Amino acid sequence: MTIPLSRTIDRGTKRGTSETMVTLTVDGTEVTVPAGTSIMRAASEAEIAVPKLCATDMLDAFGSCRLCLVEIEGRNGTPSSCTTPVADGMVVHTQTDRLKKLRKGVMELYISDHPLDCLTCAANGDCELQDMAGAVGLRDVRYDSVAEKGTHFQIRNTAGENNPFYLPKDQSNPYFDYDPSKCIVCSRCVRACEEVQGTFALTIAGRGWDSRVSAGTSLDDMLSSDCVSCGACVQACPTATLVEKSVVEIGTPERSVVTTCAYCGVGCSFEAQMRGDELVRMVPYKDGKANRGHSCVKGRFAYGYAEHPDRILSPMIRDRIDEPWREVSWEEALGFAAKRLKGIQAEKGRRSIGVITSSRCTNEETYLVQKLARGVFLNNNTDTCARVCHSPTGYGLGQTYGTSAGTQDFDSVEHADVVLVIGANPTDGHPVFASRLKKRLRQGAKLIVVDPRRIDLVKTPHVEAAHHLPLRPGTNVAVVTAMAHVIVAEGLQDQAFIDERCDAEAFADYLEFVSDPRHAPEAMEEVTGVPAETLRQAARLYATGGRAAIYYGLGVTEHSQGSTTVIGIANLAMLTGNVGIEGAGVNPLRGQNNVQGSCDMGSFPHELPGYRHVKHDDAREIFESRWGVKIDPEPGLRIPNMFDAALDGSFGGLYCQGEDIVQSDPDTSHVVAALSAMDCVIVHDLFLNETSNYAHVFLPGSSFLEKDGTFTNAERRINRVRRVMAPRARYADWEVTQLLAAAMGTEWGYTHPSEIMDEIAATTPSFAGVTYGLLEEKGSVQWPCNEVHPEGTPMMHVEGFVRGKGRFIRTDYVATEERSGPRYPLLLTTGRILSQYNVGAQTRRTANTIWHDEDRLEINPHDAENRGVRDGDWVRIASRAGETTLRAQITDRVAAGVVYTTFHHPDTQANVVTTDNSDWATNCPEYKVTAVQVAPSNGPSDWQERYSDHAEAARRIDYAAE
Amino acid sequence: MRPEKLVGMANQISLFMESKTDRDEALEGLAAHINDFWDPRMRRQFVDAVSSDDDLPARDLVRRALPLIRLSREDDDLPGAPKSPAGSEPINPAHRD
Ligand code: SF4
Ligand code: SF4
Ligand code: SF4
Ligand code: FES
């Protein structure tokens, strides 16, 4: 959808939420709005724009600029329309002689302290101050007194002395500038940082003439302050005071295309604001239902990787991985790949090649990649990186509720009274959701955090967790089961809900299981490290505190008992009747942007699109009749199984789209050995990544700006991705897969991704109603979207569970084999940080590195001292799988006995250390627990050095003679 | 695939299933899980390994589930998975020194 630039109209304040409607007259026009709405908003809905400066509809009204004055019949004075609520029968005038004069006066005062450099200003043409000066008809500015007192914008005063009020530009943030000389102190930025983002990085320092917007303390600049660079203040600023550096450089955009962020599972909608085919800036889209006009630093600013010189724009091949790459034509590369894949199948059988779909690519692309495996390779060897993050969610929620997806939309958090966050770090991993969560917490909802590490949410400005359960890594099941024990033992369960909605026999069995005193928090304390009393209080709060929502992340799934924990979480919600209502539910926070979609699209080796097992004849028949092939009824290989089979010699070819398995999968040396054993590894990506060091074919990928498609976010919301520029390497990713299929002998004939979506809708019941037309009309829909729910389904399991009766399942705690012992006494757990994303291939190629230029090992002061490690020292970290080195950061965020690191940088190779342990049900790797030892070291390990030498050699390209 | 690894994975599934009160359900659950999620060559290697080696540390339930593991209907028309080479030597000649 291309929308005329700027602006979705800013109506100044939010609409009231009351059910009572009120009718008033504004300038002779009748308008009806909910009680509690401001006059300004009501006027705007009647298409009357009252002049304003400090009001914007992303924020609460503030009433400081006095530009929005109106007159109300029968009332004295000239109240500000942004702060005055409507009343029934009110008669409002917005344009009278008196108002005009007053407004001119207000503007004159503002402009007398404002540099008049509109023509060379970055906001020229996109400035509310300029607009308002025009709107009120300001023609001259008299206040010379201001100039005498000293303005805020002149470096020297009229006497030639330094002007103490002048502050220079702060350009420390890599993405936006702060120019105090243009500030009108409307506080929109300060309020945006508080209300929308919840970081409280900005304040108004000083009073009266002295008041200034200030980031952090007087010694700070933007960069050193608490600012997380979300951009909310930049959007809120009506002037050029806070402005994107890209706008300063390029100029204002001329059109805007609504699309979806390609980073995390929140799936924020953005306006890609363009000039020609140049992207000027990304601005969060106010009508985006996942993000409601907010964003984080990654989506808002870190898109520069799409233009990075490292991008590979020509296909490349090589016979052996120790040779340099050769640039070739698309035809040659695809022909080479097809020939090799067919050769492997001829020699080793049909099931000897496979694909890995990407959770970063669109639904349509993912659908085609699994179709390539099922319909062209004729096997089910398709898997996705979701294997390594959320496959246990699919299994656990499928078994208990009957569908493998989160139950709520993000809006639901606005109704929650208690929020239980388990194994997730939303402020870093899902920042926009975190902002919405924090907003609710500031309104009084209670928070329980279950995490080995003291994540930011536990205590941040104006938010504090009621309980933090710092469990030992690997004991989630014990904690969740103990909570259920407390609920049952103290009779806090919602028996009516259980009787009505859940399977009685399964519940009776579960009750017997969970009531056993061996699950009591006191009995589990030894194992979990969580004080029994804290756990009891948390359980009581969850069960009795009102609407209780659970949000969980990879800290739940990436364990040997990941699926069991998901089941335990589902049990908790059923036990307390927290399913099927607003403000409650079970919500997985998905890692990458399209994890949900890649699972929905049949990426898993046992499931056709729509979660139907391949063993079912009726499910296969739907695709067989459409594709004209016989589909293999046997489950295929999962990613770790592919590696094992490659080492066995029974698997030799892999098409890997948009994933860097060498960096993201555990036990790197095992992965590397497996890839080295294959005869044809095809990497389809933007950059030469770690996996491509072991590849024979490189196919250039397209960024999300270069293609059409859809992403499905963690709330099951299908959002459009829209092409704003031509693919730089000629083909969008879906076209490349189609060409590969053609090279293998199967013509598909799609001419646009919408045709792929039509096929998905025709074959997959939960997508039956989805078309590009509907998405155009609604903006987005949440599946299931079919005849019963033609506009999609914001909340699942409302009347009853998808599987019929909810099923309680026993969740016995089984200790992971990964235990600390004398050789490896510490437990390593891993995570991510805000400014980087996954393996960092994109974010490392942006200015985001200013916040995180290396991975660090967090270690408790006690453990550090025992080992003679000082802050910033190089340390060696070793597990039974391997060892690596990185620098230490001493902090009590991690408990003694636990160490923590991120995995964004390839040089760190944190996954050299992680083991091949995995979830019992899904083989999702156990990233979150590895027994390790830490010791001081002098620098990179042998492995790291060998690895980087090899990587360098493997990346050589022989450029074709021009 | 290494027999120890397959047995380890089966044992993990078994531990979950063993918590069920109904022993039949546990046994069927274990077999069904393996049938539904393991590719045919893994099932074949698993059954071969466990039935031929009594020393493998397979849990009791795992051993009892062996007869319920489905061996692929279509194994016949496919070249069988080659036996594991000793160790994990790369088969790609390019990578042997
Ligand atoms: S901020 Fe607005 S009013 Fe001020 S110089 Fe820039 S364009 Fe003109
Ligand atoms: S960018 Fe975000 S965090 Fe930083 S000051 Fe602005 S609103 Fe606050
Ligand atoms: S920086 Fe912008 S938003 Fe903030 S007070 Fe100044 S003019 Fe208003
Ligand atoms: S817009 Fe109402 S007082 Fe500023």
Side-chain angles (χ1 to χ4, degrees):
Chain A
M1 177 176 19
T2 305
I3 49 173
L5 188 66
S6 188
R7 8 241 160 123
T8 35
I9 308 165
D10 184 343
R11 299 191 185 280
T13 71
K14 291 175 196 143
R15 201 164 205 255
T17 49
S18 165
E19 311 239 301
T20 327
M21 299 302 279
V22 166
T23 301
L24 67 161
T25 312
V26 185
D27 293 344
T29 307
E30 260 198 12
V31 52
T32 305
V33 291
T37 304
S38 71
I39 295 179
M40 174 180 283
R41 172 89 196 198
S44 166
E45 290 189 10
E47 308 299 331
I48 296 162
V50 183
K52 64 181 177 58
L53 275 174
C54 69
T56 169
D57 57 13
M58 285 292 290
L59 304 173
D60 293 341
F62 193 57
S64 69
C65 74
R66 306 287 299 155
L67 196 65
C68 67
L69 311 178
V70 291
E71 288 191 79
I72 303 171
E73 283 182 19
R75 290 200 199 174
N76 289 334
T78 51
S80 50
S81 63
C82 63
T83 51
T84 311
V86 293
D88 219 17
M90 202 177 229
V91 179
V92 179
H93 300 280
T94 73
Q95 187 77 347
T96 65
D97 286 345
R98 179 176 174 207
L99 292 172
K100 288 197 279 192
K101 197 156 157 247
L102 283 169
R103 286 197 194 119
K104 243 184 226 176
V106 169
M107 274 318 285
E108 199 171 345
L109 198 57
Y110 272 118
I111 299 305
S112 64
D113 186 19
H114 196 84
L116 292 176
D117 20 334
C118 289
L119 283 181
T120 51
C121 177
N124 188 15
D126 183 21
C127 172
E128 291 179 41
L129 187 65
Q130 204 179 43
D131 293 349
M132 288 308 119
V136 305
L138 185 69
R139 294 297 170 255
D140 48 10
V141 178
R142 291 155 306 176
Y143 293 94
D144 294 334
S145 56
V146 172
E148 269 153 38
K149 187 153 61 157
T151 63
H152 288 101
F153 65 87
Q154 284 155 320
I155 302 183
R156 293 172 199 289
N157 64 12
T158 36
E161 296 152 345
N162 276 347
N163 173 4
F165 296 116
Y166 175 81
L167 293 176
K169 268 192 202 173
D170 175 350
Q171 298 184 303
S172 59
N173 184 292
Y175 297 119
F176 62 85
D177 290 346
Y178 167 45
D179 177 358
S181 71
K182 289 186 176 160
C183 179
I184 58 171
V185 203
C186 61
S187 295
R188 276 163 65 160
C189 55
V190 177
R191 290 178 287 139
C193 193
E194 290 176 13
E195 290 174 35
V196 179
Q197 165 57 25
T199 292
F200 296 80
L202 301 179
T203 47
I204 299 281
R207 321 187 104 228
W209 193 252
D210 252 352
S211 31
R212 308 309 284 260
V213 171
S214 150
T217 67
S218 55
L219 299 175
D220 280 316
D221 57 14
M222 268 296 168
L223 191 63
S224 68
S225 74
D226 288 339
C227 167
V228 294
S229 202
C230 69
C233 55
V234 181
Q235 234 159 299
C237 179
T239 67
T241 310
L242 288 162
V243 65
E244 294 90 351
K245 284 189 157 78
S246 61
V247 173
V248 174
E249 211 178 281
I250 304 171
T252 45
E254 42 86 19
R255 86 197 132 95
S256 144
V257 182
V258 176
T259 190
T260 305
C261 175
Y263 279 115
C264 84
V266 176
C268 295
S269 295
F270 277 90
E271 289 177 39
Q273 301 195 340
M274 313 290 300
R275 171 158 291 278
D277 68 350
E278 181 167 26
L279 179 60
V280 177
R281 63 178 168 189
M282 295 282 278
V283 179
Y285 182 46
K286 257 203 290 198
D287 292 341
K289 298 199 182 88
N291 55 321
R292 307 265 175 209
H294 188 39
S295 65
C296 85
V297 57
K298 294 190 285 284
R300 176 87 156 89
F301 296 118
Y303 49 79
Y305 68 86
E307 297 288 324
H308 197 279
D310 283 356
R311 265 190 74 177
I312 303 288
L313 301 175
S314 163
M316 302 190 297
I317 59 174
R318 57 183 168 190
D319 278 320
R320 297 158 32 139
I321 62 171
D322 53 5
E323 293 176 355
W325 285 107
R326 245 177 332 120
E327 290 191 335
V328 294
S329 67
W330 277 102
E331 292 65 34
E332 187 176 349
L334 292 161
F336 177 89
K339 185 154 166 256
R340 281 224 168 174
L341 291 176
K342 283 191 182 159
I344 297 166
Q345 275 191 312
E347 183 196 335
K348 295 182 180 164
R350 190 154 53 91
R351 295 188 182 127
S352 61
I353 59 176
V355 300
I356 295 181
T357 73
S358 172
S359 300
R360 302 216 285 261
C361 288
T362 63
N363 287 319
E364 291 76 3
E365 284 157 353
T366 304
Y367 179 86
L368 287 195
V369 174
Q370 64 88 33
K371 179 171 175 175
L372 182 71
R374 299 204 154 100
V376 179
F377 300 174
L378 300 179
N379 63 41
N380 286 307
N381 293 331
T382 165
D383 206 355
T384 172
C385 57
R387 164 75 53 215
V388 303
C389 62
H390 262 294
S391 51
T393 292
Y395 182 83
L397 294 183
Q399 291 286 313
T400 47
Y401 295 175
T403 172
S404 70
T407 61
Q408 317 292 114
D409 59 8
F410 288 136
D411 286 349
S412 163
V413 75
E414 287 166 20
H415 305 274
D417 300 312
V418 179
V419 176
L420 173 56
V421 174
I422 311 183
N425 184 5
T427 48
D428 284 305
H430 302 85
V432 168
F433 168 71
S435 292
R436 301 185 67 176
L437 170 61
K438 285 195 285 186
K439 184 167 191 174
R440 183 62 190 160
L441 295 171
R442 288 196 304 273
Q443 291 166 351
K446 298 276 186 297
L447 173 68
I448 305 167
V449 173
V450 179
D451 201 290
R453 205 163 146 261
R454 199 179 66 234
I455 57 171
D456 282 345
L457 261 189
V458 173
K459 197 166 181 342
T460 92
H462 305 269
V463 166
E464 188 166 0
H467 305 288
H468 174 213
L469 280 48
L471 77 179
R472 204 160 283 144
T475 61
N476 286 322
V477 171
V479 168
V480 170
T481 308
M483 286 182 71
H485 173 88
V486 173
I487 293 171
V488 167
E490 301 188 4
L492 306 176
Q493 72 269 35
D494 182 343
Q495 198 62 46
F497 178 91
I498 297 168
D499 292 344
E500 191 196 323
R501 301 284 190 87
C502 304
D503 183 294
E505 214 176 295
F507 177 66
D509 179 66
Y510 178 73
L511 189 63
E512 184 199 319
F513 162 80
V514 81
S515 310
D516 192 314
R518 74 193 161 96
H519 300 302
E522 289 73 16
M524 283 296 179
E525 189 171 329
E526 178 80 4
V527 172
T528 63
V530 178
E533 190 46 36
T534 313
L535 194 144
R536 278 191 184 272
Q537 285 172 6
R540 287 176 199 136
L541 175 61
Y542 174 74
T544 62
R547 291 162 186 259
I550 300 178
Y551 291 88
Y552 71 88
L554 305 183
V556 158
T557 52
E558 289 175 350
H559 285 285
S560 59
Q561 276 202 293
S563 293
T564 317
T565 311
V566 174
I567 292 172
I569 286 172
N571 287 341
L572 271 182
M574 284 193 285
L575 206 51
T576 51
N578 275 309
V579 184
I581 50 170
E582 283 283 9
V586 173
N587 306 281
L589 292 171
R590 309 278 179 171
Q592 310 199 40
N593 51 330
N594 203 32
V595 169
Q596 180 71 52
S598 70
C599 297
D600 300 343
M601 290 300 106
S603 295
F604 288 135
H606 64 282
E607 263 168 5
L608 294 161
Y611 305 98
R612 289 163 295 172
H613 201 286
V614 292
K615 70 184 172 187
H616 297 303
D617 296 342
D618 52 342
R620 282 199 319 279
E621 262 158 29
I622 297 172
F623 295 93
E624 287 175 343
S625 62
R626 217 179 153 104
W627 299 348
V629 296
K630 272 262 165 263
I631 293 177
D632 190 345
E634 288 291 351
L637 294 166
R638 300 174 283 195
I639 293 175
N641 309 148
M642 289 180 189
F643 297 148
D644 291 330
L647 290 169
D648 275 0
S650 65
F651 188 82
L654 184 64
Y655 169 46
C656 182
Q657 184 176 70
E659 280 309 324
D660 193 357
I661 46 182
V662 169
Q663 209 191 334
S664 65
D665 282 47
D667 196 355
T668 312
S669 40
H670 180 68
V671 177
V672 162
L675 288 173
S676 308
M678 292 191 204
D679 296 309
C680 182
V681 175
I682 306 168
V683 167
H684 184 185
D685 211 308
L686 299 177
F687 305 105
L688 280 175
N689 57 23
E690 304 306 308
T691 308
S692 63
N693 296 344
Y694 302 90
H696 308 84
V697 181
F698 185 92
L699 303 174
S702 49
S703 80
F704 73 114
L705 299 166
E706 297 161 21
K707 60 200 182 189
D708 279 305
T710 56
F711 290 149
T712 308
N713 76 355
E715 1 153 65
R716 294 170 277 105
R717 185 182 301 287
I718 306 165
N719 272 316
R720 268 302 305 276
V721 177
R722 291 185 176 84
R723 171 174 153 157
V724 297
M725 53 180 81
R728 293 189 58 205
R730 189 157 139 207
Y731 295 118
D733 295 341
W734 62 271
E735 294 174 285
V736 175
T737 308
Q738 168 158 282
L739 288 168
L740 182 57
M744 302 266 309
T746 307
E747 295 290 344
W748 285 337
Y750 302 107
T751 60
H752 189 267
S754 65
E755 298 165 9
I756 306 172
M757 181 51 86
D758 293 341
E759 179 170 324
I760 297 167
T763 51
T764 309
S766 49
F767 280 69
V770 183
T771 63
Y772 275 33
L774 183 75
L775 293 173
E776 208 64 35
E777 182 190 322
K778 301 268 172 239
S780 65
V781 288
Q782 289 171 273
W783 67 258
C785 173
N786 48 31
E787 254 170 45
V788 195
H789 306 281
E791 302 198 347
T793 314
M795 204 194 321
M796 304 274 278
H797 318 296
V798 176
E799 309 271 282
F801 286 97
V802 169
R803 74 179 294 281
K805 294 276 186 187
R807 177 155 150 241
F808 283 93
I809 300 178
R810 292 177 171 233
T811 53
D812 239 329
Y813 167 68
V814 180
T816 164
E817 283 161 26
E818 200 58 28
R819 254 168 294 209
S820 50
R823 265 187 80 194
Y824 301 115
L826 302 173
L827 289 178
L828 167 73
T829 181
T830 56
R832 59 161 80 171
I833 64 142
L834 170 69
S835 56
Q836 298 287 343
Y837 172 74
N838 198 284
V839 297
Q842 293 134 305
T843 43
R844 274 187 288 112
R845 291 187 171 89
T846 68
N848 276 23
T849 43
I850 200 167
W851 288 284
H852 186 81
D853 54 1
E854 62 178 342
D855 294 316
R856 291 262 188 146
L857 184 77
E858 290 189 7
I859 182 167
N860 182 279
H862 172 83
D863 292 328
E865 197 185 313
N866 277 345
R867 290 168 175 75
V869 170
R870 285 158 312 167
D871 199 54
D873 279 358
W874 281 95
V875 292
R876 188 178 69 97
I877 172 164
S879 74
R880 63 182 170 83
E883 64 176 68
T884 189
T885 55
L886 68 176
R887 289 194 312 144
Q889 179 174 353
I890 297 179
T891 167
D892 63 357
R893 296 179 77 140
V894 288
V898 178
V899 290
Y900 166 90
T901 188
T902 49
F903 60 101
H904 300 300
H905 292 268
D907 297 339
T908 317
Q909 291 290 348
N911 281 327
V912 171
V913 178
T914 53
T915 66
D916 65 355
N917 280 1
S918 64
D919 174 48
W920 65 268
T922 65
N923 276 178
C924 176
E926 187 171 42
Y927 286 119
K928 299 291 177 179
V929 200
T930 311
V932 295
Q933 177 59 296
V934 171
S937 134
N938 318 324
S941 72
D942 288 354
W943 204 95
Q944 278 164 303
E945 280 181 357
R946 249 183 302 137
Y947 185 88
S948 69
D949 288 349
H950 171 250
E952 210 160 295
R955 286 196 180 147
R956 281 169 302 148
I957 302 175
D958 273 352
Y959 289 100
E962 294 285 306
Chain B
M1 217 169 287
R2 282 186 301 115
E4 295 75 21
K5 192 159 176 179
L6 291 165
V7 167
M9 283 161 57
N11 283 347
Q12 260 184 302
I13 303 169
S14 182
L15 279 168
F16 176 82
M17 297 298 168
E18 284 166 32
S19 75
K20 297 189 188 297
T21 23
D22 182 338
R23 301 297 288 168
D24 289 344
E25 198 191 327
L27 185 65
E28 280 157 23
L30 171 60
H33 194 93
I34 291 178
N35 285 332
D36 280 354
F37 294 100
W38 290 20
D39 142 283
R41 89 197 72 179
M42 291 167 66
R43 302 202 302 262
R44 160 87 62 200
Q45 289 171 344
F46 167 68
V47 170
D48 286 353
V50 179
S51 50
S52 66
D53 184 351
D54 290 337
D55 293 335
L56 279 175
R59 298 182 70 82
D60 182 48
L61 192 69
V62 171
R63 286 203 179 269
R64 287 200 292 124
L66 281 193
L68 303 181
I69 303 302
R70 195 179 65 246
L71 294 177
S72 174
R73 303 172 233 176
E74 282 180 61
D75 260 9
D76 309 341
D77 64 30
L78 291 168
K83 291 268 169 288
S84 290
S88 50
E89 193 189 359
I91 58 149
N92 183 335
H95 306 296
R96 292 192 195 135
D97 331 270

